[in-house]
Amino acid sequence: MTLPDFARQTYAQRAGNFSNAAAKQLLDTMERKQSNLCVSVDVTKSSDFISVIEAVGPYVALIKTHIDVLDDFQPSVIDALTALGEKHDFLIFEDRKFADIGNTVGLQYSSGIYKIASWSHITNAHTVPGPSVVTGLASVGLPLGRGLLLLAEMSTKGSLATGDYTKSSVRMALDHPEFVIGFIAQSRMDSAAAQLGYAGKDLLVLTPGVGLDSRGDGKGQQYRTPKEVVEESGCDVIIVGRGIYGDGRNLDVADVRAKAERYRTKGWLAYRNRIAP
Ligand code: 5BU
């Protein structure tokens, strides 16, 4: 497969392609830490959540959360998460998948128990409501220097986010370049952007559904390797969850650390091979 020019640039070079603060910070962090790994920490106990993040912190550029799956959430978890982000030099991405009218998503982003906008550098949204989901979130997130990813594709079997839906999602991103920094997708979106007349606009691709030892979870999830995702499909960030901490029961912190190191090495090698084939 022929990859577009942005896929040949270094992460450091690409930081200059963005005006959004979160996108620049993420790319600079990736370059500095030599890591394109994002660990998705989907565990239900706050103590496990913090233990996993402590273990993987040195190897990641980004930590992805589903903060609403914590059984024992307290605001102090956010303080601990933020402190670990500063200690280990990573950004935070709450995988909230907003999907409502602009007014409601603005409230969901700023308020409630979680106050996501106050601590999460990056969040994401489904494009099914149309552009108002982006403008509603931007009214809260842009003044704080936050960035948004749009779900252009999903990793699940039978996903409806394909074809014209994906292309319309790309158009929505291109129409909001200050706030939308890229996509959750399985491949680069540059050719769709070029077809829409925006050949020169760089957008990030963060990709879930990454695993080295399994092709699926029996619940619809589909896994590809870092090589397939980064080197062959041109995606920028690998998002790995259970491939690193298993089913989350009986956590073995040393093993979690070793797995994070393994994914980081594979992800970075795939990137090096991509930029200098
Ligand atoms: P896993 O344990 O590596 O399968 O976890 C993947 C994570 O990425 C999980 O938090 C999902 O909610 C998230 N995800 C995904 O798997 N596929 C998608 O298309 C999107 C998000 Br969008």
Side-chain angles (χ1 to χ4, degrees):
M1 182 177 153
T2 315
L3 293 173
D5 286 343
F6 293 126
R8 301 273 180 235
Q9 291 183 3
T10 66
Y11 294 135
Q13 286 168 329
R14 291 177 62 195
N17 297 342
F18 289 84
S19 60
N20 179 280
K24 276 184 186 298
Q25 258 178 292
L26 178 61
L27 285 158
D28 286 339
T29 305
M30 288 160 72
E31 186 76 33
R32 196 163 51 240
K33 291 186 79 177
Q34 305 214 331
S35 173
N36 51 21
L37 174 62
C38 168
V39 173
S40 171
V41 192
D42 302 337
V43 294
T44 56
K45 268 176 36 194
S46 296
S47 56
D48 289 345
F49 179 76
I50 295 301
S51 297
V52 170
I53 296 169
E54 255 170 350
V56 305
Y59 310 105
V60 300
L62 187 66
I63 287 287
K64 184 173 87 61
T65 58
H66 283 300
I67 204 69
D68 59 349
V69 307
L70 289 177
D71 284 329
D72 54 352
F73 175 82
Q74 295 284 337
S76 58
V77 174
I78 298 303
D79 298 336
L81 170 64
T82 302
L84 284 172
E86 279 161 20
K87 177 176 169 196
H88 292 295
D89 187 19
F90 60 73
L91 270 67
I92 304 165
F93 163 26
E94 164 60 21
D95 185 1
R96 176 60 179 75
K97 300 187 180 72
F98 292 99
D100 211 321
I101 62 168
N103 185 60
T104 301
V105 296
L107 292 170
Q108 290 171 323
Y109 190 24
S110 63
S111 306
I113 307 173
Y114 302 118
K115 306 185 189 353
I116 293 165
S118 72
W119 51 270
S120 182
H121 303 90
I122 294 169
T123 191
N124 57 358
H126 283 291
T127 53
V128 69
S132 55
V133 73
V134 178
T135 48
L137 292 168
S139 67
V140 174
L142 251 190
L144 299 171
R146 307 307 190 200
L148 182 70
L149 301 165
L150 295 180
L151 276 86
E153 292 175 328
M154 290 192 70
S155 61
T156 37
K157 222 170 273 174
S159 162
L160 303 182
T162 60
D164 282 345
Y165 182 92
T166 300
K167 205 165 163 186
S168 301
S169 304
V170 174
R171 189 192 301 277
M172 268 173 64
L174 294 163
D175 285 345
H176 301 90
E178 306 82 17
F179 190 48
V180 180
I181 62 174
F183 305 101
I184 298 290
Q186 298 294 313
S187 58
R188 291 209 72 79
M189 295 291 127
D190 305 67
S191 50
Q195 280 171 28
L196 293 166
Y198 290 87
K201 176 73 186 109
D202 192 1
L203 286 157
L204 299 171
V205 180
L206 282 68
T207 305
V210 178
L212 283 162
D213 305 314
S214 158
R215 300 304 280 181
D217 68 354
K219 299 181 194 171
Q221 176 68 297
Q222 305 177 108
Y223 292 117
R224 295 185 300 153
T225 63
K227 182 180 168 71
E228 289 172 298
V229 165
V230 175
E231 194 175 330
E232 295 167 17
S233 300
C235 305
D236 300 311
V237 173
I238 53 170
I239 300 176
V240 186
R242 288 163 291 174
I244 286 178
Y245 52 79
D247 62 10
R249 272 176 262 151
N250 305 316
L251 274 184
D252 175 346
V253 170
D255 187 58
V256 169
R257 185 177 294 116
K259 294 255 175 58
E261 195 166 6
R262 177 174 179 231
Y263 276 93
R264 178 231 187 178
T265 303
K266 298 274 184 194
W268 196 255
L269 181 69
Y271 158 71
R272 298 295 312 171
N273 287 343
R274 179 176 100 196
I275 55 169

